[in-house]
Amino acid sequence: MAEKKTVKKAAAPKAEAVEKKATVKKAAAPKKAAIVLNAENAGFKAGDVYQALAAAGKALTVKEIAKAAKISEEETLLGMGWLFKEGKIVESEAKITLA
């Protein structure tokens, strides 16, 4: 009788585990609005600052003026520069008041 040959198939190599790199998204930095430096814009910001001080009727800090006028602190400083130049505001003890 003829003998049967048994052939064992070699097992297929196991697929190596593929490492997935987690992508970490960095939080986007808050965007700041660019301040346009021209006489017209400075004049408008000066008006905002003046109105905020007039409405408050007392000395305010830069932060308080910015909040009252609903403008940024940088824009507040721009408007204050205009008003200082015109002699419309004065500073005392880190607070600003109308002259």
Side-chain angles (χ1 to χ4, degrees), residues 15-31:
E16 294 181 19
V18 178
E19 291 183 29
K20 290 186 178 180
K21 293 182 181 179
T23 55
V24 178
K25 291 185 179 179
K26 293 182 181 180
K31 293 183 180 180

Side-chain angles (χ1 to χ4, degrees), residues 14-63:
K14 292 183 181 178
E16 294 181 19
V18 178
E19 291 183 29
K20 290 186 178 180
K21 293 182 181 179
T23 55
V24 178
K25 291 185 179 179
K26 293 182 181 180
K31 293 183 180 180
K32 288 190 176 183
I35 298 175
V36 179
L37 294 177
N38 59 34
E40 183 179 19
N41 192 32
F44 284 129
K45 299 311 171 191
D48 294 340
V49 170
Y50 191 90
Q51 292 299 322
L53 287 169
K58 62 178 183 175
L60 299 174
T61 64
V62 172
K63 195 172 208 173

Side-chain angles (χ1 to χ4, degrees), residues 69-96:
K70 297 178 183 164
I71 57 176
S72 70
E73 288 185 36
E74 291 83 4
E75 292 170 323
T76 302
L77 294 172
L78 178 64
M80 284 173 50
W82 181 291
L83 294 172
F84 272 127
K85 179 75 173 162
E86 291 185 344
K88 304 280 184 179
I89 58 175
V90 292
E91 178 191 11
S92 61
E93 300 176 19
K95 291 197 174 191
I96 311 300

